[in-house]
Amino acid sequence: RPFLPWLVLIIAVLVFIAAPMPGRGPGLFARRDPWRTFKYDARRTVLGRAGNWCEGSLLIAWVRCRSAAEEADHVYPWSRGGATVVTNGQALCRRHNRSKRNMTPPWWYVLTLERRRRRYFPSGLDVHVRAGMRREDRALRGQRVK
């Protein structure tokens, strides 16, 4: 029996499952954001829009963690080019933040996070994850409000 077609199929499925979401992550030639951590109002906004509860997932990404959020973290890691902006932030408990490390999230993680956010974000807030820095984000950097 030929083994190679099955091997190619298995590798293709694994790549599909682990692939990041196109268009949401940092660009290929994006400069690294000089701000490493969420500070000031950005940190308060990331934690506040989640109700100060962890946005990590339980039960294969469908159920939200029930721990209090202690840390503001990047969905797309800073070490992999993700900007330190509110649209790339998530509130996590210490356990979820440590287990995530610098993992680039696969497409299904981003979609399930956005799906969960629709239930608890205040109405009118954008639930989408975007790792790039927009013009408005650059303008806010100059205003360093505490």
Side-chain angles (χ1 to χ4, degrees), residues 74-136:
H74 300 81
V75 177
Y76 287 92
W78 179 84
S79 63
R80 306 255 175 127
T84 306
V85 292
V86 172
T87 56
N88 189 33
Q90 64 182 337
L92 293 178
C93 63
R94 189 172 310 262
R95 182 177 63 88
H96 275 111
N97 195 13
R98 298 299 179 265
S99 66
K100 180 183 174 282
R101 291 184 243 150
N102 70 340
M103 174 195 78
T104 300
W107 61 270
W108 56 267
Y109 178 87
V110 175
L111 290 179
T112 56
L113 175 63
E114 292 172 352
R115 182 174 182 259
R116 285 191 314 269
R117 283 180 169 179
R118 286 186 185 97
R119 291 187 220 138
Y120 57 83
F121 264 32
S123 62
L125 281 183
D126 186 16
V127 299
H128 293 96
V129 174
R130 290 181 198 85
M133 189 176 287
R134 298 177 303 194
R135 190 175 310 144
E136 306 88 50

Side-chain angles (χ1 to χ4, degrees), residues 26-42:
L28 289 176
F29 303 107
R31 293 187 338 216
R32 180 173 277 183
D33 188 355
W35 281 18
R36 170 69 177 94
T37 60
F38 287 92
K39 306 175 191 177
Y40 314 117
D41 281 343

Side-chain angles (χ1 to χ4, degrees), residues 33-55:
D33 188 355
W35 281 18
R36 170 69 177 94
T37 60
F38 287 92
K39 306 175 191 177
Y40 314 117
D41 281 343
R43 178 179 168 77
R44 282 191 290 275
T45 301
V46 168
L47 294 175
R49 68 185 182 170
N52 291 318
W53 292 102
C54 180
E55 292 187 89

